[in-house]
Amino acid sequence: MSDHPRFDLEELRALIRLAAEADIEELEVQGAHVKVRIKKARHAGPAGHGGEAPRPDAAATPGAGGTAVQEHRYTPIVAPMVGTFYRAAKPDAAPFVNEGDMIEAGQIVCVLEAMKLFNEIPSEVAGRIVSILAENGAPVEYGQPLFLVDPSPAA
Amino acid sequence: MSDHPRFDLEELRALIRLAAEADIEELEVQGAHVKVRIKKARHAGPAGHGGEAPRPDAAATPGAGGTAVQEHRYTPIVAPMVGTFYRAAKPDAAPFVNEGDMIEAGQIVCVLEAMKLFNEIPSEVAGRIVSILAENGAPVEYGQPLFLVDPSPAA
Amino acid sequence: MFNKVLIANRGEIAVRVIRACRDLGIRTAAVYSEADRDALHVRLADEAFCIGPPAARDSYLHIPNIIATAELLGADAIHPGYGFLAENPHFAEICQDCKITFIGPPPEAIHKMGNKAAARQMMRKAGIPVVPGSPGPVRDEAAALAVARTTGYPLLIKAAAGGGGRGMRVVQSPADLRGAFAAAGQEAAAAFGSAELYIEKYLTEPRHIEVQILADGRGNVVAIGERDCSIQRRHQKLLEESPAVGLSPRLRRALLRAAVRAATVVGYVNAGTVEFLVEGTNHLYFIEMNTRIQVEHPVTEMVTNIDLVKEQIKIAAGERLSLPREIEAHGHAIECRINAEDPARDFLPSPGQITAFIPPGGPGIRVETHAFTGYTIPPYYDSLIAKVIAWGRDRDEAIARMRRALGEFDIGGIQTTIPFHLQVLDNAFFRKGEVYVNFVQRRIDLGPAGRPRSA
Amino acid sequence: MFNKVLIANRGEIAVRVIRACRDLGIRTAAVYSEADRDALHVRLADEAFCIGPPAARDSYLHIPNIIATAELLGADAIHPGYGFLAENPHFAEICQDCKITFIGPPPEAIHKMGNKAAARQMMRKAGIPVVPGSPGPVRDEAAALAVARTTGYPLLIKAAAGGGGRGMRVVQSPADLRGAFAAAGQEAAAAFGSAELYIEKYLTEPRHIEVQILADGRGNVVAIGERDCSIQRRHQKLLEESPAVGLSPRLRRALLRAAVRAATVVGYVNAGTVEFLVEGTNHLYFIEMNTRIQVEHPVTEMVTNIDLVKEQIKIAAGERLSLPREIEAHGHAIECRINAEDPARDFLPSPGQITAFIPPGGPGIRVETHAFTGYTIPPYYDSLIAKVIAWGRDRDEAIARMRRALGEFDIGGIQTTIPFHLQVLDNAFFRKGEVYVNFVQRRIDLGPAGRPRSA
């Protein structure tokens, strides 16, 4: 447009977002032609704005809560195919696994029925079944989490 | 567009909106010719956010910063109507004002011709004409900046 | 043909006119208020000029700035759209004086049809039935009582200069007449600058049916089919269709003939709409003529394949109408006006930013809109944000397609009238074609049921 | 009628099929890959089920997951759209075995038309002209040279199992034949798993004209008009129109008759397209039959007002065709395929996020798209992001409307084929209707001129 240094709004917006997400108070950027300084507001009250801007600061605060970090280590066993989820090989048989069970990698945890075929589904991880996420007899999508596994339980 | 350092109202408006939407308190942008600092008003209550941007608080912050306030004191004289911009009363007459001229509030600075009528346009501010933003004989929109005035020149 | 047309309007109709100009190879100049800087009509036009602050009286109604813009940009014609200056005879005259073609009827025709009472008298003299009532403006309560003796009760008090339901009252008995008359007069004076009122017989379940006409000023006046606009709320049209369902061929012919006669009598040129109330299977009554393009013109376009805005421009440029005398309608078309209003809260305006906007598409669907993702609806103007028009080989197919289109129309950030329309489309009486001007009041529950439902 | 239809596809055609189901009051189940989680067809369907990772072979081509999903969700029919499994006779058979209706032709018809060389032989036996060439697959170079003596040069080598230009070579002389034959065979083997080739006379300036047919399996086979798809680039259609401009009524009748005959011979049921090359004003040659709905089906819908996808579903549900034997086309329709490709850089795919998306609207414009503001085009599938269809009372009006629509179509963040289409629409030869399959190559400069211009 012109050869004058223009304020690039897109860049500014990106900078502001950066500042907001990084949870910093002041950001100063100086180029050949442009100098930008961003200073964040300190709100005492609740965060509630209409827009998008900064994330709830608590989420990014690392040392905040012990239990929150725990959850993240759980690994899901997901459906590798579309099918009906069965916890047991037959209607009257015992379930392959129950909550709290220790499993090994390669151990069958359920069957998925598709097109009249029963497909045994092995776990890819070892650990303890923390929870069973799908209901017996329910249709499951590709990639749907079926079990939550704690791969390093206090053994 | 022109080789005058233009004070782009659109850009300024966008900057203010940006500052208002993002959760920041101060925004300072400095280019080769222009330096803008926007500081958000601290309202006690949550009242303010409806969507309309806040007024340029920087302009309303009098004793805030030394140099930053400087540039922001330029005031545009805008077209109060649609018309053809003429710097002189007649083609062979001298222009009402030139760059560098001191003007008083109420002084005629140009005429706008519309529907065969010549409308004399007075300045609403006193000061020095810093730059003339419209070309002689050019059609101007409503609200288009015609002159930039420094209201408190070193007299 | 014109070189450049200035569009003295905003919103979807400004976009619509730009499209017609494009199709004709004419350059376009948009005007806009400071509130419409980012509007679609500003983006789409070849040029755009800011003409004033947000308030319409200082921008879209500001004649000097609009005329000056036309002159500055070298526009040789102005299309006024609807609303704003479209039915202002003074504006049409000024255009004439400035040698700018006003794309619309001559000022005299606008003027004659603008005074509703005078128009009624003129039509009655021309042999077109009007709703029984006062022959002209009614001076005072005494005169009103005298007229009421000939019309009977219930009767309707209307503002002579009015429209859109303001200055209007239904009166059930002589006892109510006095108060209603005074109140309507005040309202009319406030809204239109004239307290003149007239009185009409109140029809119980009339349908609102209007006829689109085109006249080229060379003796050709053609009726382009009818529209049923009975689905109204407080005299505001919400859903329109063409053809009018269940109309006998005889009554339809009578309507078209009356419309052509009305236009001829008033020396009409360009596109116009003659509005009638229809009672039962035999009775038609002229109510008024709108001397401009209507919001609901697309339903007529869909069943006739005539581009009415293109025809307006061609007529204004002096071209002869090249349409057959008898226009055949094919299929059925319905239009739903999507307003930024909350039907669950008494149609409260819902301006603000549109955070998501995915318009419907597919077979039989046409969308007229100026909205887009990220667009902020300014609070200064009307609340129409989109018109969805569905065409089908028959009314059932048009309804099915409209339901599908409204069901998939994704508008985020604001409330719209879509849930209301879905409710109408699902109503058994509507589906049977039993419509009349108080349909919404009688048949549609606007309580919490008006809230969005899954289609 | 079906209770629930599963749509085994994605993109605009999945949206298109959902719309047809809605119009018929049928529930819809979408399937999607992990790359399409936020896709429009997922949002619009009544239900949606993830069937695999992004790669098509593991999701949209993964028959067990698709069939399992149909069974799990209780879908009684599957619509395959186009591409993916649409012309896979094995898939159609499995559907049959699983008691799920495949909305398309019987597996045998797909199979018979799938082998292009065999289809050609069958058609020739049925008295339909085919391009002179080898009666069947050509074994080796010696056999190729023998065939060439009957067809003359230039000639065309084609993959028997192929399509879309792969495994295809134009040969100018006997000297070139040997190398071209080997290269085409390798390419065919790599692309289609079969190195079988056949040879055809190369037609110099033929037009690609195809006929839409509908057959209900009860003896009714109807030709629904023709489409000219000559505007191609590397055998990929880019712009299609109906009717084919300048076609003599005699040749048109011959095309429609040949198409009906082709469908009848193969025992065809449902919607299909018989493709021909047309040379001069008299010669038509069958090239292949596509046993599915085509990308370009909307141009036929616009000039006939027949919803072809609805007809597909109704036929599959066992309904009898309720169309007249002779379908009359009214007006003219053009479709432009808007691909996420950069015409200025040799049509390089341009996937990514669409930052702005304002589709065109107004009279005569229909848009078929699955894109919206904020949508990210995954790099795994084809680059079609929208189809714009313009209808006009004549070809000139359709062209004017298409130019207007493409001019206002605002797509941000990616490159599209819109500038290419505007260039075609402005080309004087195109405007005169002088189109043929090498039109783009000969008449359109795809250099820097292919960059966006102001419309």
Side-chain angles (χ1 to χ4, degrees):
Chain A
M1 187 178 179
S2 83
D3 41 2
H4 286 286
R6 284 196 74 196
F7 312 129
D8 190 329
L9 285 178
E10 268 318 297
E11 265 175 32
L12 267 178
R13 195 170 286 132
L15 276 175
I16 290 171
R17 210 174 292 134
L18 200 67
E21 281 167 6
D23 195 32
I24 56 168
E25 209 165 80
E26 252 185 277
L27 173 67
E28 195 170 310
V29 179
Q30 185 160 16
H33 299 280
V34 187
K35 180 177 171 179
V36 178
R37 204 178 81 191
I38 295 163
K39 195 174 168 186
K40 222 166 127 184
R42 246 169 288 179
H43 28 212
H49 288 281
E52 359 154 1
R55 286 296 145 89
D57 296 337
T61 316
T67 51
V69 184
Q70 289 284 15
E71 193 72 33
H72 216 72
R73 283 190 324 213
Y74 294 168
T75 303
I77 301 173
V78 302
M81 58 180 291
V82 168
T84 304
F85 174 76
Y86 290 113
R87 290 186 52 200
K90 291 179 183 178
D92 50 355
F96 291 104
V97 292
N98 286 302
E99 282 185 12
D101 284 4
M102 295 296 300
I103 56 165
E104 284 169 29
Q107 185 177 330
I108 304 302
V109 290
C110 63
V111 293
L112 292 178
E113 186 217 330
M115 301 177 70
K116 318 278 178 281
L117 291 174
F118 289 83
N119 305 275
E120 299 187 328
I121 308 298
S123 173
E124 291 188 352
V125 289
R128 193 180 54 215
I129 299 282
V130 174
S131 86
I132 300 171
L133 305 168
E135 215 141 310
N136 196 48
V140 296
E141 294 180 290
Y142 173 86
Q144 184 172 326
L146 305 175
F147 301 91
L148 210 52
V149 178
D150 184 347
S152 61
Chain B
M1 186 175 181
S2 81
D3 41 4
H4 287 285
R6 264 197 84 178
F7 197 96
D8 192 325
L9 286 177
E10 262 319 292
E11 275 180 19
L12 183 60
R13 193 172 290 128
L15 276 177
I16 291 170
R17 209 175 294 135
L18 201 65
E21 282 167 7
D23 191 15
I24 60 173
E25 205 167 78
E26 256 186 84
L27 175 66
E28 192 174 308
V29 179
Q30 185 166 18
H33 299 279
V34 187
K35 179 175 176 180
V36 178
R37 205 178 83 190
I38 295 163
K39 194 173 170 186
K40 238 163 117 178
R42 248 169 283 181
H43 13 220
H49 286 284
E52 279 295 298
R55 288 295 138 94
D57 291 331
T61 318
T67 51
V69 185
Q70 288 286 14
E71 193 74 27
H72 209 75
R73 283 188 326 209
Y74 291 170
T75 305
I77 301 173
V78 302
M81 58 182 289
V82 168
T84 304
F85 173 77
Y86 289 113
R87 291 186 52 200
K90 292 178 182 179
D92 50 354
F96 290 105
V97 291
N98 287 301
E99 283 186 12
D101 283 4
M102 295 296 300
I103 56 164
E104 287 171 25
Q107 185 177 331
I108 303 304
V109 289
C110 64
V111 293
L112 291 178
E113 186 214 330
M115 299 176 73
K116 319 277 178 281
L117 290 175
F118 288 82
N119 304 276
E120 297 186 327
I121 307 300
S123 174
E124 290 186 353
V125 290
R128 192 181 54 214
I129 301 284
V130 174
S131 90
I132 300 171
L133 305 169
E135 216 140 308
N136 196 49
V140 296
E141 295 181 292
Y142 172 86
Q144 183 173 326
L146 306 175
F147 302 91
L148 207 55
V149 178
D150 183 348
S152 61
Chain C
M1 187 43 73
F2 305 116
N3 171 52
K4 188 187 287 181
V5 169
L6 182 141
I7 296 107
N9 216 305
R10 64 178 300 283
E12 67 87 17
I13 193 63
V15 171
R16 173 72 186 86
V17 176
I18 290 170
R19 286 176 175 149
C21 290
R22 279 276 150 78
D23 289 351
L24 289 167
I26 302 169
R27 289 182 60 79
T28 51
V31 295
Y32 63 97
S33 77
E34 289 183 317
D36 277 339
R37 208 168 277 282
D38 301 321
L40 194 60
H41 76 285
V42 172
R43 292 198 205 183
L44 291 183
D46 295 308
E47 291 168 275
F49 223 64
C50 181
I51 53 163
R57 68 174 176 282
D58 300 322
S59 49
Y60 298 108
L61 289 171
H62 195 286
I63 296 177
N65 277 355
I66 290 169
I67 297 284
T69 301
E71 289 183 336
L72 287 174
L73 302 182
D76 41 7
I78 294 180
H79 196 298
Y82 53 68
F84 294 133
L85 298 169
E87 292 178 283
N88 183 328
H90 176 57
F91 179 64
E93 254 165 39
I94 292 175
C95 288
Q96 221 167 42
D97 293 348
C98 294
K99 310 262 182 297
I100 298 167
T101 305
F102 175 80
I103 301 176
E108 305 73 40
I110 302 176
H111 184 77
K112 281 181 190 162
M113 285 301 188
N115 184 310
K116 306 303 174 193
R120 240 166 45 119
Q121 265 185 298
M122 187 173 37
M123 290 305 123
R124 194 167 49 183
K125 274 183 203 148
I128 299 168
V130 299
V131 181
S134 59
V138 180
R139 300 252 162 94
D140 50 31
E141 288 94 334
L145 285 162
V147 173
R149 258 167 253 130
T150 70
T151 62
Y153 292 89
L155 59 78
L156 201 61
I157 303 175
K158 279 178 150 181
R166 282 180 296 180
M168 201 181 272
R169 287 287 185 289
V170 180
V171 178
Q172 300 291 346
S173 69
D176 297 341
L177 187 55
R178 188 173 299 263
F181 193 86
Q186 280 164 18
E187 211 171 297
F192 313 111
S194 157
E196 268 192 9
L197 299 172
Y198 65 99
I199 286 178
E200 268 179 15
K201 172 180 162 71
Y202 178 77
L203 307 174
T204 319
E205 284 196 347
R207 294 168 68 178
H208 174 121
I209 299 180
E210 60 189 29
V211 176
Q212 175 71 53
I213 69 104
L214 282 176
D216 65 1
R218 298 155 174 263
N220 299 307
V221 183
V222 182
I224 322 281
E226 83 285 3
R227 295 185 286 259
D228 188 312
C229 310
S230 298
I231 305 297
Q232 308 182 347
R233 184 186 159 271
R234 299 193 183 162
H235 304 281
Q236 300 290 340
K237 297 169 189 168
L238 287 164
L239 181 154
E240 303 95 352
E241 54 186 315
S242 183
V245 59
L247 203 62
S248 74
R250 208 181 51 77
L251 184 52
R252 184 170 188 272
R253 267 198 308 276
L255 282 164
L256 302 192
R257 218 179 297 124
V260 168
R261 176 116 182 88
T264 307
V265 165
V266 78
Y268 201 83
V269 183
N270 216 294
T273 298
V274 187
E275 298 193 330
F276 299 92
L277 288 179
V278 170
E279 204 177 33
T281 52
N282 279 312
H283 298 289
L284 66 91
Y285 304 106
F286 168 89
I287 44 175
E288 65 180 53
M289 180 169 187
N290 292 321
T291 56
R292 53 163 163 85
I293 194 76
Q294 306 262 103
V295 175
E296 63 271 25
H297 75 275
V299 293
T300 300
E301 294 184 327
M302 295 295 273
V303 295
T304 62
N305 289 325
I306 295 166
D307 183 324
L308 292 169
V309 181
K310 258 162 74 169
E311 294 297 329
Q312 283 195 294
I313 298 168
K314 283 156 67 177
I315 290 169
E319 286 190 18
R320 189 181 291 274
L321 268 183
S322 59
L323 301 170
R325 289 243 152 218
E326 293 278 319
I327 309 286
E328 220 186 311
H330 70 287
H332 195 95
I334 301 177
E335 172 184 277
C336 289
R337 301 189 188 192
I338 313 303
N339 296 332
E341 297 171 359
D342 187 351
R345 295 172 65 199
D346 202 27
F347 290 77
L348 193 72
S350 178
Q353 195 182 29
I354 298 177
T355 53
F357 193 81
I358 308 182
I365 298 301
R366 168 175 164 188
V367 180
E368 296 281 342
T369 183
H370 59 292
F372 50 87
T373 306
Y375 175 66
T376 298
I377 305 165
Y380 309 103
Y381 315 109
D382 73 18
S383 61
L384 181 70
I385 51 164
K387 305 188 303 202
V388 178
I389 304 103
W391 182 91
R393 278 175 300 182
D394 52 37
R395 191 169 184 263
D396 286 343
E397 190 175 57
I399 290 174
R401 286 174 165 176
M402 181 63 90
R403 289 183 73 249
R404 176 249 296 173
L406 296 187
E408 72 182 56
F409 202 163
D410 184 359
I411 305 179
I414 57 161
Q415 297 298 318
T416 75
T417 46
I418 287 175
F420 165 84
H421 285 296
L422 286 171
Q423 219 178 333
V424 172
L425 294 167
D426 279 350
N427 182 283
F429 295 95
F430 174 79
R431 287 179 165 258
K432 278 190 283 182
E434 290 182 17
V435 293
Y436 38 88
V437 293
N438 9 30
F439 177 88
V440 174
Q441 201 177 319
R442 297 227 182 126
R443 298 292 184 199
I444 301 294
D445 174 15
L446 290 173
R451 292 182 189 284
R453 299 163 305 159
S454 60
Chain D
M1 186 43 73
F2 305 116
N3 171 52
K4 189 187 288 182
V5 169
L6 182 139
I7 297 107
N9 215 305
R10 62 177 302 281
E12 67 87 18
I13 193 64
V15 171
R16 174 71 187 85
V17 175
I18 291 170
R19 285 176 175 148
C21 290
R22 279 276 149 77
D23 289 352
L24 289 168
I26 302 169
R27 289 183 59 79
T28 52
V31 295
Y32 62 97
S33 78
E34 290 183 316
D36 277 339
R37 209 166 275 285
D38 300 321
L40 193 60
H41 75 285
V42 172
R43 294 198 203 181
L44 290 183
D46 295 311
E47 289 167 276
F49 223 64
C50 183
I51 52 163
R57 67 175 177 280
D58 300 324
S59 49
Y60 298 109
L61 289 172
H62 195 284
I63 296 176
N65 277 355
I66 289 169
I67 297 285
T69 302
E71 288 182 337
L72 288 173
L73 302 182
D76 40 6
I78 293 182
H79 196 299
Y82 52 69
F84 295 133
L85 299 169
E87 292 177 284
N88 183 329
H90 176 58
F91 179 65
E93 253 165 41
I94 292 176
C95 287
Q96 221 168 42
D97 292 347
C98 294
K99 308 265 182 296
I100 298 166
T101 305
F102 175 79
I103 301 177
E108 303 74 39
I110 301 177
H111 184 76
K112 281 182 190 163
M113 286 301 189
N115 184 310
K116 306 304 174 191
R120 238 164 47 118
Q121 265 185 298
M122 185 172 39
M123 290 305 125
R124 195 169 48 182
K125 274 184 203 146
I128 300 168
V130 299
V131 181
S134 59
V138 180
R139 299 252 164 95
D140 50 31
E141 289 95 333
L145 284 164
V147 173
R149 259 168 252 131
T150 70
T151 63
Y153 293 89
L155 59 78
L156 202 62
I157 303 175
K158 279 177 150 180
R166 281 181 296 180
M168 202 180 272
R169 287 286 184 291
V170 180
V171 177
Q172 301 290 346
S173 69
D176 297 342
L177 187 56
R178 185 173 299 264
F181 193 86
Q186 279 165 19
E187 211 171 295
F192 313 111
S194 158
E196 266 191 10
L197 300 172
Y198 64 101
I199 287 179
E200 268 179 12
K201 172 181 161 70
Y202 179 76
L203 308 173
T204 320
E205 285 196 346
R207 295 168 67 178
H208 175 121
I209 299 180
E210 60 188 31
V211 176
Q212 175 70 53
I213 69 105
L214 282 176
D216 65 1
R218 298 155 176 264
N220 299 305
V221 182
V222 183
I224 323 281
E226 83 286 3
R227 294 184 287 260
D228 188 311
C229 310
S230 299
I231 305 296
Q232 308 183 346
R233 185 186 157 272
R234 300 193 182 162
H235 304 280
Q236 299 292 337
K237 297 169 188 168
L238 287 164
L239 181 152
E240 303 95 353
E241 53 187 316
S242 183
V245 59
L247 204 61
S248 74
R250 208 182 52 77
L251 183 53
R252 184 171 188 271
R253 266 197 309 276
L255 282 164
L256 302 192
R257 218 179 298 124
V260 169
R261 177 114 182 89
T264 307
V265 165
V266 79
Y268 203 81
V269 183
N270 215 294
T273 298
V274 187
E275 298 192 331
F276 298 92
L277 287 180
V278 170
E279 202 178 36
T281 52
N282 280 312
H283 298 289
L284 66 90
Y285 305 104
F286 168 89
I287 43 177
E288 64 180 55
M289 180 168 188
N290 292 321
T291 57
R292 53 165 161 85
I293 195 76
Q294 306 261 103
V295 175
E296 62 270 25
H297 75 275
V299 294
T300 300
E301 295 185 327
M302 296 296 272
V303 296
T304 61
N305 290 324
I306 295 166
D307 183 323
L308 292 169
V309 182
K310 259 162 71 170
E311 295 297 330
Q312 282 194 294
I313 298 168
K314 283 156 67 176
I315 289 169
E319 287 192 18
R320 189 180 290 275
L321 267 184
S322 60
L323 301 171
R325 288 243 154 219
E326 292 277 319
I327 310 288
E328 220 186 312
H330 70 287
H332 195 94
I334 300 176
E335 172 183 277
C336 288
R337 302 191 188 190
I338 314 302
N339 296 333
E341 296 171 0
D342 187 351
R345 294 173 64 199
D346 203 28
F347 290 77
L348 193 74
S350 179
Q353 194 183 29
I354 298 177
T355 53
F357 193 81
I358 308 182
I365 298 301
R366 167 174 164 190
V367 180
E368 296 284 342
T369 183
H370 59 292
F372 50 86
T373 306
Y375 174 66
T376 297
I377 305 165
Y380 309 102
Y381 315 108
D382 73 18
S383 61
L384 182 69
I385 52 165
K387 304 187 305 202
V388 178
I389 305 103
W391 181 92
R393 279 175 300 182
D394 51 37
R395 190 170 184 261
D396 286 344
E397 190 175 60
I399 291 175
R401 285 173 167 176
M402 182 61 90
R403 289 183 75 248
R404 176 248 298 170
L406 296 186
E408 72 182 56
F409 202 162
D410 185 359
I411 305 179
I414 56 161
Q415 297 299 317
T416 76
T417 46
I418 287 175
F420 165 84
H421 286 295
L422 286 171
Q423 219 178 332
V424 172
L425 295 167
D426 279 351
N427 183 282
F429 295 96
F430 175 79
R431 286 178 166 259
K432 278 189 283 182
E434 289 182 18
V435 292
Y436 39 87
V437 295
N438 9 29
F439 177 88
V440 173
Q441 200 177 321
R442 297 226 182 128
R443 299 292 185 198
I444 301 294
D445 174 14
L446 289 173
R451 293 181 188 286
R453 297 162 310 158
S454 57

